[in-house]
């Protein structure tokens, strides 16, 4: 089985022949040898012809596992986002520190999980959710209270962004289930290329903003910024297909139940990105 098409979950999907799901050939061979060499026991020719499979070392992954772990991860993120929002509401000076700590902490943990192949570690996944909660709560306060005009309440803006995020999520889930778009190697390469291009543009715009007012104009609320946000939303939406495909192949591969944490991590990363981009786009239409 090929590697996961999702970079966050890469390394989680492995072939059963490597023992990922607990079906190791060595254990079966050792059990056979022990059976043939037991003193006082009669040799059974059928045991060699039809060896019994080794039992799985852990319970296999199910859809319920994915749903449960994802719900727990999003629950931690939501709780921390609420705490962060009200902390900033009580002290505006906390907005920038909380955003910085949340964004940097979340990025570091994603890199540790991805390159350290620790996507199925619940401590890392939940810690990531906590850091991202700090980021999401503080940036929601900033967009809802500082960026938009007084005619739009922060609650309405955030509510619209949340509804839009989960609307896109369930819409792409339907698209995946009916097979309207298939996750092929070509589709994956094209999506990765788009992600890299967007990341390069974001980084370039950030660097340019240090020297010019507004940088390349990708985040100033103008027509170019609106187009760029729509492109980011589209890429994030199609990224859900990679998440669903990875979860589907993990289940079919007989992966252990703990692999659900890796799926939850990948889905949460995509959900956070999509939410922030929708929130940003809505702020453009509601700012002065």
């Amino acid at each position: 089985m090929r590697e996961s098409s999702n970079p966050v979950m890469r390394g989680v999907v492995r072939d059963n022949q490597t023992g990922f799901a607990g079906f190791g050939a060595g254990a079966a061979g050792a059990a056979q040898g022990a059976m043939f060499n037991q003193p006082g026991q009669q040799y059974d020719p059928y045991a060699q012809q039809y060896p019994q499979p080794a039992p799985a070392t852990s319970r296999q992954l199910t859809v319920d596992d994915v749903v449960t772990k994802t719900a727990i991860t999003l629950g931690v993120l939501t709780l921390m986002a609420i705490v962060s929002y009200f902390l900033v509401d009580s002290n505006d000076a906390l907005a920038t520190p909380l955003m910085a700590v949340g964004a940097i902490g979340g990025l570091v943990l994603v890199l540790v999980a991805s390159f350290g192949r620790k996507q199925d570690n619940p401590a890392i996944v939940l810690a990531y959710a906590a850091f991202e909660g700090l980021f999401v709560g503080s940036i929601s306060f900033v967009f809802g209270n500082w960026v938009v005009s007084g005619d739009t309440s922060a609650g309405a803006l955030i509510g619209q962004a949340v509804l839009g995020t989960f609307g896109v999520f369930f819409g792409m889930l339907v698209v995946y289930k009916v097979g309207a778009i298939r996750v092929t190697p070509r589709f994956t390469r094209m999506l990765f290329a788009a992600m890299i291009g967007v990341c390069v543009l974001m980084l370039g715009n950030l660097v340019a903003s240090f020297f010019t007012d507004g940088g390349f104009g990708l985040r100033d609320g103008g027509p170019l910024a609106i187009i760029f946000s729509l492109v980011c939303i589209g890429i994030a939406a199609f990224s859900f297909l990679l998440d669903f495909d990875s979860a589907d192949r993990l289940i079919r591969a007989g992966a252990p139940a703990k692999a659900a944490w890796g799926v939850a991590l990948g889905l949460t990363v995509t959900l956070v990105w999509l939410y922030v981009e929708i929130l940003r786009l809505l702020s453009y239409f509601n700012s002065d």
Side-chain angles (χ1 to χ4, degrees):
M1 177 168 288
R2 63 187 175 89
E3 282 275 12
S4 169
S5 53
N6 188 327
V8 176
M9 290 186 281
R10 184 155 298 172
V12 174
V13 181
R14 305 173 192 169
D15 197 325
N16 285 344
Q17 295 177 353
T18 64
F20 181 71
F23 299 110
Q32 259 188 276
M35 177 179 62
F36 295 151
N37 295 326
Q38 289 292 334
Q41 289 187 1
Q42 186 177 2
Y43 171 74
D44 185 1
Y46 295 100
Q48 184 175 10
Q49 186 176 0
Y50 303 104
Q52 296 297 319
T57 58
S58 63
R59 185 174 61 81
Q60 293 185 7
L61 179 67
T62 65
V63 175
D64 289 341
D65 293 323
V66 174
V67 173
T68 301
K69 301 305 186 295
T70 303
I72 293 173
T73 304
L74 292 178
V76 172
L77 188 150
T78 302
L79 178 61
M80 294 302 298
I82 294 173
V83 171
S84 175
Y85 184 94
F86 285 105
L87 284 175
V88 178
D89 187 36
S90 63
N91 185 357
D92 294 351
L94 293 176
T96 300
L98 287 178
M99 275 195 295
V101 170
I104 295 173
L107 177 61
V108 169
L109 287 174
V110 165
L111 294 176
V112 169
S114 301
F115 294 101
R117 295 183 180 268
K118 298 182 182 295
Q119 298 95 329
D120 57 1
N121 188 318
I124 291 179
V125 176
L126 294 179
Y128 164 80
F131 276 110
E132 284 300 298
L134 296 177
F135 171 75
V136 169
S138 54
I139 200 172
S140 296
F141 182 90
V142 170
F143 277 110
N145 294 276
W146 295 353
V147 177
V148 301
S149 62
D151 297 334
T152 303
S153 67
L157 185 75
I158 295 171
Q160 292 170 10
V162 170
L163 288 176
T165 299
F166 283 98
V168 172
F169 172 81
F170 288 111
M172 297 309 294
L173 180 59
V174 172
V175 168
Y176 178 78
K177 284 297 184 181
V178 300
I181 300 178
R182 295 179 59 85
V183 181
T184 62
R186 181 182 180 184
F187 172 84
T188 303
R189 289 193 299 269
M190 291 175 61
L191 191 57
F192 282 170
M195 288 181 184
I196 293 172
V198 164
C199 290
V200 170
L201 285 175
M202 286 181 180
L203 182 60
N205 185 74
L206 177 63
V207 173
S209 65
F210 296 148
F211 304 99
T212 61
D213 186 18
F216 298 150
L218 300 181
R219 297 302 194 188
D220 62 0
L224 183 60
I226 293 174
I227 294 173
F228 185 71
S229 286
L230 289 173
V231 170
C232 291
I233 290 171
I235 295 174
F238 284 115
S239 296
F240 281 126
L241 299 179
L242 302 187
D243 299 327
F244 300 148
D245 178 67
S246 296
D248 190 25
R249 288 189 290 111
L250 278 168
I251 293 172
R252 288 188 282 107
K258 67 177 183 178
W261 288 109
V263 179
L265 177 63
L267 287 171
T268 304
V269 169
T270 309
L271 281 168
V272 169
W273 181 26
L274 179 62
Y275 169 77
V276 172
E277 289 298 334
I278 291 178
L279 185 68
R280 190 187 300 273
L281 180 64
L282 291 174
S283 72
Y284 293 157
F285 295 113
N286 292 277
S287 60
D288 293 329

